[in-house]
Every structure is written in structure tokens, then in C-alpha cells.
Amino acid sequence: MTRGTGLGALCWPELDGSAVTLLVPLGAVEQHGPHLPLDTDIRIADAVARRAQPRLAGDRPDSELFIVAPGLPYGASGEHEGFPGTVSLGHEALRLVLVEYGRSACRWARRIVFVNGHGGNGRTLVDAVRLLRYEGREVAWFACGHPGGDAHAGDTETSVLLNLSPDDVRLSEAVAGNRAPIAELLSPMRSGGVAAVSANGVLGDPTTATADRGGTLLAGFADALVAAVGRWDVDERGLLRGGAAA
């Protein structure tokens, strides 16, 4: 088996008898300002998982596999529903999807890591992964992000997309949104969503973004995922320590 192959391209005998760690990208379909594609979050999560996979596989025996699953592109994005294009499953439906996914995949996978690209999925991941772990399954999640990054569709995400998918970034449409600290925005966002605090859906400033910084950020996310999976230290939220705080 080619170690870089994703789950969808494999046949079942290639997995039979192996100790599999399954990396499952999780994102959202939601507005990302007037300049970024709606599927930004799953693109980032998938890229991080795919960059980490060959490093995790390394020189391990053929019986120990690290595999990237087809991503789960929809998430809990209710805070963005004031903008066209957003499709949110909501907390309860997403929780059920993650729990049933974990129960099914853990019949043959030794471990599962949900690689999360959307902060709004955090509450749901905590609930789902706690239940799966309570049931005795070795499941955890990882947050793609870094301390100090802006909240949404600003410099951080725009830089990463400029590195990943430059042709899909509408730089001519990139303008700053609300740059207040996220802690100051939480209260009005709870009642009115992102639209209540930012008319263009941006929380941050995308005009400073660069592809080079995006490459550095992606490499840092992948480094953190490799280290976190290698350490496998799971906190009380089911989060792998070593990733970004969520």
C-alpha cells in the first residue's frame, strides 16, 4: 500500500489486520467574507491532515497505518446563517454524525482524530468525543489554529488560502471587518450572529495576508498535529494537547 493514499482509494484487505490511526478532516460550509470560498475550513483541515500523514507514517511497520479519511465538510455554523451560502447542520445533528462515525470506524480503526478547521465545531466535538471515549473508544480531536490569530476570514485564513488555493481568493474584494478582540464580540454574536458585529462577515483584516505566511502557518499546524498524535495526551475535552486552544 502507498503510505500517502487516502481512505477512499483503498480496498478493505489493505486495512485488514492493521493498527489504523484515522485522520478525519472536519470543516464547515459558511461565509468567509466577500473574498474567501465557502469551503475554506475543510480545505485547511484536509491540507493539515495530508501534510501530517506521511510524517506520522514515517518508518513504522506496515501493520501500523496513518490514513486520511474523506473530509466531513459540514459543521455547526449557526453564527454565520445571516449570510447566503452558509449551510449549518447545527449542534445536535453534527454531534450525532460524529458519534455514529466514531462508533462505526472504531470497529476497525485503533484510533480516530477529528482534525477540526472550524472553531464553531468545538462545543460539538467536546460532547461527541467525550461520549465516544466514555464508551471505550480511542478518539480525540485536534484544532487547526494558533494563539493570536484573528477570528474569521482575516489575515490568518486568507494567508493560508493564498498558499493553498490562490486562484480562489478574490483579493480585490478583501477588506477589513471588525477587528475587536473576539472576547468583546461574543455577547452580541450570541444573539445576532456574526452579521450583528460585521456587515461583511470578516472578523480581522485580510488585507495584510501573504501566501508565504500562509505556508508558515500550514507547516506549523501540521507540526503541531504530528507532535500531538505522537504524544497522544488527551485532555478532559477530548482535545489532543499540543494543538491550538479551542
Side-chain angles (χ1 to χ4, degrees), residues 21-22 95 98-104 106 109-114 124-142 228-229 231-241:
T21 296
L22 191 64
R95 178 183 180 276
L98 296 176
V99 168
E100 293 303 326
Y101 190 111
R103 287 171 175 168
S104 179
C106 279
R110 178 169 64 103
R111 302 186 302 191
I112 295 174
V113 182
F114 292 109
T124 314
L125 279 160
V126 170
D127 285 358
V129 171
R130 275 179 174 166
L131 176 57
L132 289 165
R133 293 184 63 80
Y134 174 79
E135 293 175 343
R137 296 172 175 89
E138 198 62 79
V139 180
W141 64 287
F142 172 88
V229 172
R231 188 181 304 117
W232 201 262
D233 182 10
V234 184
D235 73 10
E236 68 282 356
R237 299 170 293 169
L239 181 69
L240 281 176
R241 290 186 173 91

Side-chain angles (χ1 to χ4, degrees), residues 7 20-26 45-46 48-54 56 65-71 101 109 111-115 142 225-226 229 232 240:
L7 178 65
V20 175
T21 296
L22 191 64
L23 306 177
V24 186
L26 176 63
D46 186 73
V48 171
R50 292 186 183 280
R51 280 162 169 73
Q53 185 275 336
L56 288 166
L65 302 178
F66 291 83
I67 297 172
V68 180
Y101 190 111
R111 302 186 302 191
I112 295 174
V113 182
F114 292 109
V115 181
F142 172 88
L225 178 55
V226 170
V229 172
W232 201 262
L240 281 176

Side-chain angles (χ1 to χ4, degrees), residues 5 10 19 30-31 38 47 52 55 62-63 71 73 81 83 107 117 127-128 136 146 149 201 208 224:
T5 301
L10 299 177
E30 63 182 31
Q31 72 83 21
L38 296 165
R55 294 171 55 194
D62 290 341
S63 60
E81 286 184 319
F83 298 87
R107 292 175 65 88
D127 285 358
H146 73 107
T208 58

